[in-house]
Amino acid sequence: MSVKVRFAPSPTGRLHVGNVRTALVNWLFAQNARIGGQGGQFILRIDDTDLARSTPEFEQGIEDDLRWLGLEWDERHNQSKRFDAYHATADRLKAAGRLYPCYETGDELDRRRKVQLSRGLPPIYDRAALSLTEDDKAKLEAEGRRPHWRFKLDGRRVAWEDLARGHAEVDTASMSDPVLIREDGLYLYTLPSVVDDIDMGVTHVIRGEDHVTNTGAQIEIFEALGGPVPSFAHMPLLVDANGDALSKRLGSLSIAQLREEGVEPIAITSHLGRIGTSDPLEVAESIEALGQGFAFSKMGRSPARYDEADLKRLNAQALHAMDYNAAKPRLAALGCDLGEAFWDVVRPNLELFGDVEEMARIVQGPIMPVIEDKAFAEAALEVLPETLGADAWSVWTAAVKERTGAKGKALFMPLRLILTGQSHGPDMASLVPLIGRERIAGRLRGETV
């Protein structure tokens, strides 16, 4: 069977790690299908039916974020261009008696729920609107009321084999008939989603486990429309490192913000693609390789922990593995392309790519040396080798040790502070030839060079 999945974000805000994880898992599943010869396709479907809240800027932001992460799509659609299909489907369901008008206000429904709860009854819609006559409806509309439209559920157990959860069942008799169209005529998510899944040939719906209950109703709508019912996979939700709900912090975890902070896309996709699975939490060679190893059988049932410390570690790991050819254009853009030898020396010390600017300043200057013992610096200058080859650091430090008697940390730390102005950083043996004798001599004299 050819696999076709979709990601359907609303252009009412920027993408955050929660909905990007959904997009990523859909993309990885399609990629895995492509590798397996099942022709996997990934659809980007913009859910912009709420015309008042949707903006072109957010829509463009969604595209930019997905492309930056490497999540290219095979098809792209806007739901705002498909209202004719939704109107036609609504008419079909109305004619079949499956979509019926209701005139209760929000306050009236709330009072009914409170009464039901006080009587020990489940707070579900009582279908009172089904008993309205045409005269009743005309009177309500004459009062200025406009109907919202509910889908009449069968009230049965709906079962499916969930790719992430195993066997799943929902009893739609325990649910309120879902509202598909609001009083103002706005379609809620469910109807356009089902219509589009049918029309676009979606074979698998992959999303968070908070949608499990909705799936029972949606399967009934698929069946009422005579469309093929897709397979479903409901993933555990994200929690933070302490196990608390991540939803309150999602605004601060937008992909745009992570990008601005300098986080690598492969670190984000490796993190989101592997948390909550049996795979080791290591950076992938590529997003394609991440897809090759994807399987729902690796996904656990517990919430997936989103730990920013893990993301930071993966980001550093990605930089440490980046070869010079990949880094070269980015180094040039920062004015830091000092050659392959420089990159190989500094990359093991990078946490963010932007850290390379400070590394380049250490090599090129200016650096204000930190000299705690002027006599030590003068002695080091006196024995500084004339040429700085591959073994210059070991030869020089041996000579400084002999001249000053300093050893261990008392020998190496003062030299690092003088030459780099920092107490930590790249391997000095590799760094010294890059800095060059002239700058080293100047810094030993206390000059800012």
Side-chain angles (χ1 to χ4, degrees):
M1 179 179 68
S2 180
V3 167
K4 199 171 191 180
V5 297
R6 44 74 166 178
F7 174 53
S10 298
T12 55
R14 294 304 296 260
L15 294 182
H16 54 68
V17 295
N19 47 30
V20 162
R21 178 168 174 256
T22 300
L24 174 65
V25 172
N26 274 276
W27 191 94
L28 295 177
F29 184 74
Q31 170 71 7
N32 188 270
R34 281 193 289 271
I35 294 169
Q38 293 180 284
Q41 290 184 292
F42 175 71
I43 299 173
L44 173 59
R45 193 168 75 206
I46 302 296
D47 179 5
D48 55 353
T49 54
D50 188 342
L51 300 177
R53 296 177 61 229
S54 300
T55 72
E57 292 76 19
F58 284 134
E59 185 172 335
Q60 185 62 53
I62 288 169
E63 292 188 11
D64 292 344
D65 289 343
L66 291 177
R67 283 200 175 101
W68 179 68
L69 290 169
L71 304 181
E72 294 286 350
W73 48 90
D74 301 289
E75 294 180 20
R76 189 195 176 290
H77 303 274
N78 281 71
Q79 291 189 316
S80 60
K81 296 180 180 180
R82 290 182 45 76
F83 282 117
D84 286 348
Y86 309 146
H87 296 334
T89 301
D91 288 343
R92 280 179 57 197
L93 292 174
K94 291 173 184 178
R98 298 302 297 271
L99 196 60
Y100 63 96
C102 305
Y103 294 84
E104 297 92 348
T105 66
D107 287 341
E108 289 170 343
L109 291 171
D110 188 51
R111 284 196 294 272
R112 287 189 195 176
R113 283 191 289 266
K114 289 177 179 177
V115 170
Q116 287 171 315
L117 288 169
S118 69
R119 295 176 178 174
L121 300 173
I124 62 175
Y125 182 60
D126 59 8
R127 292 181 167 175
L130 287 174
S131 62
L132 293 174
T133 65
E134 292 304 315
D135 286 343
D136 293 333
K137 296 174 188 176
K139 288 177 182 177
L140 289 167
E141 295 197 13
E143 295 172 7
R145 297 203 187 198
R146 293 292 177 266
H148 56 273
W149 295 80
R150 292 179 182 268
F151 178 78
K152 185 179 178 183
L153 295 167
D154 289 333
R156 59 183 173 85
R157 298 200 72 81
V158 177
W160 70 95
E161 296 304 314
D162 197 287
L163 296 176
R165 298 167 60 87
H167 184 76
E169 290 189 12
V170 171
D171 185 358
T172 60
S174 66
M175 301 166 55
S176 293
D177 289 339
V179 177
L180 301 190
I181 308 174
R182 298 192 329 190
E183 292 177 13
D184 58 5
L186 182 69
Y187 290 98
L188 297 183
Y189 166 81
T190 304
L191 184 62
S193 178
V194 171
V195 172
D196 289 347
D197 286 345
I198 293 172
D199 289 352
M200 297 171 191
V202 170
T203 60
H204 295 76
V205 174
I206 302 168
R207 54 193 181 183
E209 62 183 8
D210 51 332
H211 288 283
V212 168
T213 301
N214 302 336
T215 298
Q218 288 169 14
I219 288 176
E220 287 201 16
I221 298 172
F222 275 107
E223 293 173 344
L225 295 176
V229 178
S231 298
F232 289 89
H234 293 90
M235 306 176 292
L237 301 180
L238 291 181
V239 295
D240 65 19
N242 298 317
D244 298 324
L246 196 67
S247 56
K248 294 180 181 178
R249 295 191 51 231
L250 287 178
S252 65
L253 292 172
S254 72
I255 297 305
Q257 180 172 326
L258 293 176
R259 183 178 184 177
E260 288 169 7
E261 291 173 357
V263 181
E264 299 295 310
I266 192 60
I268 297 171
T269 51
S270 295
H271 189 209
L272 293 176
R274 286 180 167 168
I275 52 175
T277 75
S278 58
D279 284 332
L281 193 53
E282 302 293 335
V283 73
E285 180 181 339
S286 65
I287 192 170
E288 289 77 16
L290 198 61
Q292 186 170 5
F294 177 82
F296 278 112
S297 59
K298 298 179 179 180
M299 193 171 285
R301 293 292 298 274
S302 300
R305 289 182 181 269
Y306 181 88
D307 190 337
E308 292 173 65
D310 285 332
L311 178 60
K312 186 176 180 180
R313 176 179 62 81
L314 291 178
N315 196 70
Q317 191 180 99
L319 293 172
H320 300 171
M322 186 180 294
D323 65 28
Y324 175 64
N325 288 333
K328 183 176 174 62
R330 296 173 64 182
L331 291 169
L334 294 174
C336 298
D337 186 6
L338 306 184
E340 187 169 2
F342 166 76
W343 174 249
D344 289 342
V345 168
V346 302
R347 66 178 177 174
N349 291 271
L350 301 178
E351 291 188 354
L352 297 170
F353 193 91
D355 296 344
V356 76
E357 292 185 273
E358 178 62 19
M359 304 295 181
R361 193 171 70 86
I362 289 172
V363 171
Q364 298 183 116
I367 286 292
M368 180 180 292
V370 177
I371 300 177
E372 298 175 342
D373 185 337
K374 189 175 181 181
F376 177 89
E378 290 172 348
L381 177 57
E382 290 172 2
V383 296
L384 180 64
E386 288 299 322
T387 58
L388 300 181
D391 61 347
W393 176 251
S394 60
V395 171
W396 183 33
T397 53
V400 175
K401 178 180 179 181
E402 184 177 344
R403 177 66 66 91
T404 65
K407 57 184 179 180
K409 186 176 181 181
L411 170 64
F412 299 115
M413 185 56 71
L415 290 175
R416 178 179 286 280
L417 289 170
I418 293 168
L419 299 192
T420 71
Q422 300 177 358
S423 60
H424 56 86
D427 173 56
M428 291 300 295
S430 302
L431 198 58
V432 160
L434 296 176
I435 298 173
R437 192 181 191 284
E438 184 179 349
R439 285 195 184 91
I440 290 174
R443 292 172 191 178
L444 288 167
R445 290 191 293 265
E447 299 169 5
T448 299
V449 290

